[in-house]
Amino acid sequence: MQNHADVLIVGAGSAGMAAAVAAARCGVQVELLDRNAYPGGKATAAMVGTVCGLYHCSPEEEAKWAVGGFAREFASALAEKSKSKPVQFYNRLHFLPYDIHSFRELSEGLLKEHGVKVRYQSEVRAVATNDGFIENVQTDSGDILGTTQSQFIDCSGESVLSFLAAKDWVRAEENQAAARVFKLEGIASMPADALPFALGMALRKGLNSGELAQDLALLSVVQGTYRNGSSYFKLPLSDEVTNDAKQRAAMLKSSGEQIKTVVDYLRKASVAFADAKISEMAPEVGFRTGFSPIGQVILSADDVLNARRYPDGVAVGAWPIEFWRPGKQAEMQWLEDGESYHIPAGALTSAHAKNLYFAGRNLSADAMAQASARVMGTCLQTGYAAGVLAAYASLGKPRNEAIARIRKDLEINN
């Protein structure tokens, strides 16, 4: 079966959802594919639990928006639906905790409202190219989607479409460490700010006694999620992350066993967790990075740390470089308080395929820049920008007009 859409998007995470909404608002026919049975990507399937990159770094208690337009619109609706508000961490970072189910419902509602055709449980297996264009994509069910007249956006997070189309990517010496999120219920009643302290005491006790392995002691509370005796927790994984699919799949099983081990220990070691039980475990491991495709521009760490602005900047980054190595806490490189940087349109535009764009975790960036730009608040913007770029190309409208519209819609200033 062959099917045509003006804009075909792979990946229904925060970037893919934003791209679909943006393209639909431009008046084109949009089709969205995702391998899961629901939207949200890592935000729902890996139960990330916090939207980072929405606010400026600042020691001030009040969070100050770094983003505008659709990203701010979505985050405000998510905060209301989740009954949450920004939380400050490290005395400089602000982020928005959210309810996983609210994220999914809000995304589903937006896609339906904008008439986006969504194919869930559908994966791209092959890509046909011709004379510098993607000709079509083939799914695992055998459907042939798109034509050379279609515009394609890769928001898969793993650069599936980009890699099959070009088999080329920005080389990185290492991938960031992964993590697994889970929810505990039955925690003893306490003030929210006392939970990390209670957890830390129990983990240190286990380390000192030798009852707990060093890597399990990296467990942390997902800040802002403690309510009525339940909270989400994040376990950084000590395994080195490769690009081998079988190794990544094996991490799902091993991380589940690690979580059960550390929770069993907490029940025995701390009265605060004596009655705790696992009520949810993320269906996916939270892989932070994968292949990064080569765009017309490769965003660099210098761009991030020097708060570089571009005349064709189509997204604003405000999160520090947060690089996780296996078995260690995050290494942070900070922007100046209140500063931000631009992501240029070229970092969302393929250098190899003339009708291919990308957004979200697989934008064109070096490893350190990606460690800043991969966060959800930025993904909402790059997705929206890629959606407009692709829609304008489909309509035969000039690229400079698309960039002007994006900058206006997302409230981006020089």
Side-chain angles (χ1 to χ4, degrees), residues 335-364:
L335 284 75
E336 294 293 328
D337 289 339
E339 281 288 3
S340 59
Y341 61 92
H342 284 176
I343 296 173
L348 309 181
T349 309
S350 175
H352 294 292
K354 298 172 186 177
N355 56 345
L356 174 62
Y357 303 86
F358 19 73
R361 291 189 300 124
N362 48 232
L363 83 166
S364 174

Side-chain angles (χ1 to χ4, degrees), residues 73-94:
E73 170 193 329
F74 181 86
S76 297
L78 182 61
E80 181 177 358
K81 196 171 181 65
S82 301
K83 297 180 175 58
S84 67
K85 59 183 180 180
V87 171
Q88 189 179 33
F89 193 53
Y90 281 159
N91 295 322
R92 294 182 70 183
L93 293 178
H94 296 83

Side-chain angles (χ1 to χ4, degrees), residues 171-243:
R171 309 291 164 166
E173 292 183 1
E174 60 181 319
N175 287 320
Q176 289 199 59
R180 187 91 182 269
V181 174
F182 62 97
K183 185 178 183 180
L184 285 183
E185 293 184 349
I187 302 168
S189 179
M190 67 183 79
D193 58 2
L195 180 57
F197 178 76
L199 177 65
M201 288 281 289
L203 295 176
R204 283 193 293 275
K205 178 182 175 182
L207 276 177
N208 292 337
S209 66
E211 294 179 79
L212 194 65
Q214 181 78 38
D215 53 352
L216 298 184
L218 294 173
L219 180 69
S220 64
V221 178
V222 178
Q223 295 290 324
T225 63
Y226 176 74
R227 292 182 186 177
N228 302 318
S230 68
S231 183
Y232 288 96
F233 294 79
K234 180 174 69 174
L235 180 66
L237 304 181
S238 58
D239 308 64
E240 182 180 348
V241 178
T242 71
N243 292 320

Side-chain angles (χ1 to χ4, degrees), residues 270-309:
S270 171
V271 65
F273 297 97
D275 298 319
K277 62 179 181 179
I278 301 169
S279 59
E280 287 184 75
M281 197 179 294
E284 294 183 2
V285 171
F287 293 107
R288 293 182 171 89
T289 52
F291 292 115
S292 184
I294 296 179
Q296 294 175 355
V297 174
I298 299 175
L299 187 74
S300 71
D302 283 344
D303 292 332
V304 174
L305 296 174
N306 292 320
R308 188 157 294 137
R309 307 297 178 95

